[in-house]
Amino acid sequence: MATTDTALKDALTSIEGTIGVALVDYTSGMALGVAGGSKDLDLTVAAAGNTDVVRAKVRTMEMLGLKEEIEDILITLGSQYHLIRLMTGRGSKGLFLYLALDRGRANLAMARHQLKRIEADLEV
């Protein structure tokens, strides 16, 4: 099992094209940990903003009566992918991993696979 800092550093170094990664509590909108980022990508602002995305999708699924679990949410920009992976492990309800990728360098399928592995190893 990996700590938050270790898991985020693992994502930053092992997922090709990673710009930044954060562990976020979507009940409060607070980033519990961040790694990477840039002058153009403030991970704490992104954490708060993506909390609204997660909350909206959860509410919509409830209104539709869908009993499915959200695995991830993908936002595709011209030069980046933003991947939100809701955590499902024991003690991690209400948390998500947020991963920003450089679209020109990233392999989205591999990034999703590696983020799932990191989530499984993460101890919150």
Side-chain angles (χ1 to χ4, degrees):
M1 291 298 196
T3 65
T4 299
D5 287 340
T6 303
L8 296 178
K9 286 177 186 166
D10 182 21
L12 190 61
T13 59
S14 70
I15 300 175
E16 185 69 29
T18 298
I19 300 167
V21 61
L23 176 64
V24 184
D25 176 344
Y26 70 82
T27 58
S28 69
M30 298 291 295
L32 304 178
V34 297
S38 68
K39 66 177 178 61
D40 297 324
L41 180 64
D42 182 330
L43 290 170
T44 56
V45 172
N50 284 302
T51 293
D52 293 335
V53 172
V54 171
R55 288 177 185 162
K57 187 60 187 173
V58 168
R59 265 194 322 272
T60 301
M61 289 182 61
E62 288 171 356
M63 288 188 300
L64 293 171
L66 297 176
K67 303 297 182 209
E68 299 280 336
E69 294 283 328
I70 299 171
E71 285 186 31
D72 53 40
I73 299 168
L74 173 64
I75 300 166
T76 305
L77 306 176
S79 64
Q80 297 175 0
Y81 293 123
H82 291 218
L83 187 59
I84 299 167
R85 179 163 184 86
L86 275 70
M87 296 185 61
T88 58
R90 190 174 63 92
S92 62
K93 183 132 176 81
L95 302 179
F96 67 87
L97 286 165
Y98 167 70
L99 179 68
L101 299 163
D102 178 322
R103 190 171 170 174
R105 296 185 310 125
N107 177 322
L108 185 56
M110 284 303 296
R112 288 183 70 219
H113 176 74
Q114 289 173 294
L115 195 59
K116 184 177 181 177
R117 175 191 54 80
I118 289 166
E119 176 205 356
D121 290 342
L122 181 58
E123 183 176 298
V124 184

